[in-house]
């Protein structure tokens, strides 16, 4: 079941637990031939990952997972094959990282009010890269005995109407797609089955994304069920969008996802990588 393409994965540059080097080494070990590093709202791990990928002879796709606010929802857009030197992209990502920094301090203040001291500093200790995300607060809260696992942390503390929730404005969908285009990349709606939206709302999202020049849906995701993959394949066809596939790997602590451990794209999908290589370069292993 190992796939040659895994186009969604995180390192310590965001909320993953493996360094970019260790992530690439693990992908290689698991049989991945083309890996996209897609850290939240930054590309700081790409250069390190590229060095290890060159050493091991696997292909590294420069990417990011951009946080977007669409109406009242947060949606993630995966960028693939971007020029990480592009000023428009980096200016956009820096804005989101500045917001993340403020949000992290605010989450800390709110948890403090709820009787949990030292959360900001604690989350900072778990964040080895530039960004502090909710997952880092999660690691701190579990470590300090406030919850037993990540699922419980989010449910008790970090989602809407809970003490550590802070809402805010991420990028607009057309901004995110615009930054990706400016950097010569392709944009993908990440894990589309994971948003709590009705089918009607989801179709509106896909329509809006298509209208601003979006390229693909992440039809196969490590966070999708087999039937969700099929549903998303039919949406991709209906909206004339390409299909992507990625594990959304965050590290060995979540053993239910693994690099490259993904089913095939359902029949009738046009893979986003169809025109990336001459056909013979990456075979189905
Ligand atoms: P952030 O971008 O900092 O708001 O954090 C979002 C990240 O938190 C996602 O990319 C996941 O890695 C993680 N996450 C979100 N919801 C959950 C959940 N219910 N359980 C575990 N991890 C979650
Ligand atoms: Mn994450
Ligand atoms: Mn995501
Ligand atoms: Mn992700």
């Amino acid at each position: 079941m190992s796939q040659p393409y895994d186009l969604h994965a995180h390192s310590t540059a965001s909320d993953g637990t493996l360094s970019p080097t260790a992530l690439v080494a693990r992908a290689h070990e698991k049989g991945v031939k083309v890996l996209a590093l897609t850290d939240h709202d930054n590309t700081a791990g790409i250069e390190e990952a590229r060095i290890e990928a060159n050493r091991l002879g696997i292909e590294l796709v420069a990417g990011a997972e951009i946080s977007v606010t669409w109406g009242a929802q947060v949606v993630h857009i995966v960028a693939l094959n971007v020029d990480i030197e592009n000023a428009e992209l980096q200016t956009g990502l820096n804005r989101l990282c500045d917001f993340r920094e403020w949000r992290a301090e605010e989450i800390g203040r709110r948890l403090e009010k709820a009787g949990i001291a030292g959360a900001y500093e604690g989350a900072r200790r778990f964040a080895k890269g530039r960004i502090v995300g909710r997952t880092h607060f999660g690691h701190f809260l579990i470590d300090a005995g406030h919850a037993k696992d990540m699922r419980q942390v989010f449910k008790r503390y970090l989602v809407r109407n809970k003490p550590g929730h802070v809402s805010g404005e991420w990028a607009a969908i057309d901004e995110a797609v615009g930054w990706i285009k400016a950097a010569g990349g392709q944009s993908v709606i990440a894990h589309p089955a994971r948003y709590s939206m009705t089918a009607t709302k989801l179709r509106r999202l896909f329509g809006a994304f298509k209208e601003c020049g979006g390229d693909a849906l992440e039809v196969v995701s490590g966070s999708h069920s087999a039937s969700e993959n099929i549903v998303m394949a039919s949406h991709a066809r209906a909206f004339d969008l390409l299909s992507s596939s990625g594990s959304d790997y965050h590290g060995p602590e979540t053993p239910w996802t693994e690099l490259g451990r993904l089913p095939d794209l359902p029949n009738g999908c046009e893979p986003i990588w169809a025109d990336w290589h001459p056909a013979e370069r990456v075979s189905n292993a």
Side-chain angles (χ1 to χ4, degrees):
M1 223 171 63
S2 183
Q3 295 290 338
Y5 289 88
D6 189 334
L7 303 180
H8 187 158
H10 297 270
S11 74
T12 47
S14 65
D15 58 358
T17 57
L18 297 181
S19 68
T21 301
L23 181 80
V24 170
R26 189 177 179 108
H28 177 249
E29 194 185 296
K30 300 293 176 187
V32 173
K33 305 282 191 287
V34 182
L35 173 74
L37 177 60
T38 57
D39 277 305
H40 294 289
D41 303 322
N42 84 91
T43 59
I46 299 293
E47 271 175 51
E48 181 189 319
R50 196 172 268 148
I51 291 168
E52 184 68 354
N54 287 342
R55 197 178 73 80
L56 294 171
I58 81 170
E59 185 164 331
L60 195 273
V61 172
E65 183 176 12
I66 303 181
S67 309
V68 161
T69 301
W70 184 70
Q73 307 266 350
V74 177
V75 170
H76 287 170
I77 307 279
V78 164
L80 297 176
N81 277 315
V82 285
D83 168 13
I84 62 169
E85 309 274 309
N86 181 267
E88 196 173 323
L89 174 68
Q90 291 302 341
T91 304
L93 295 180
N94 282 334
R95 190 183 99 203
L96 300 183
C97 287
D98 288 347
F99 171 68
R100 275 187 177 279
E101 184 50 41
W102 173 83
R103 183 188 69 156
E105 291 167 21
E106 182 65 16
I107 291 173
R109 285 190 285 270
R110 293 194 189 191
L111 289 174
E112 188 104 38
K113 273 192 203 144
I116 297 172
Y120 173 72
E121 293 73 18
R124 265 255 161 255
R125 276 198 301 280
F126 283 97
K128 299 187 180 78
R130 285 174 59 207
I131 75 146
V132 188
R134 285 185 294 167
T135 313
H136 302 117
F137 281 91
H139 289 303
F140 162 77
L141 289 163
I142 294 166
D143 196 53
H146 295 287
K148 70 171 171 23
D149 58 26
M150 201 55 90
R151 201 175 299 261
Q152 201 177 62
V153 167
F154 272 82
K155 219 170 141 189
R156 281 191 186 168
Y157 297 104
L158 300 176
V159 295
R160 199 167 291 169
N161 300 321
K162 298 296 167 178
H165 181 259
V166 178
S167 58
E169 283 287 306
W170 298 103
I173 194 165
D174 56 334
E175 279 184 314
V177 171
W179 302 339
I180 295 166
K181 270 192 194 304
Q186 288 170 294
S187 51
V188 184
I189 295 192
H191 43 66
R194 287 284 65 77
Y195 307 116
S196 20
M197 292 187 204
T198 60
T200 307
K201 191 132 187 216
L202 209 50
R203 279 194 287 268
R204 276 186 45 223
L205 170 66
F206 299 154
F209 176 67
K210 178 79 186 175
E211 202 150 290
C212 58
D215 297 289
L217 296 187
E218 198 169 71
V219 165
V220 167
S221 163
S223 74
H224 284 177
S225 67
S227 59
E228 287 170 337
N229 293 339
I230 305 287
V231 171
M232 292 308 151
S234 69
H235 283 303
R237 281 195 299 275
F239 285 86
D240 194 23
L241 289 163
L242 300 171
S243 296
S244 187
S245 176
S247 61
D248 204 2
Y249 186 75
H250 280 74
E253 299 74 16
T254 52
W256 55 90
T257 54
E258 185 52 83
L259 289 161
R261 201 168 70 203
L262 293 160
D264 292 339
L265 283 177
N267 286 337
C269 290
E270 174 89 17
I272 191 167
W273 56 81
D275 62 2
W276 288 2
H277 313 273
E280 68 277 11
R281 273 197 50 206
V282 178
S283 61
N284 256 290

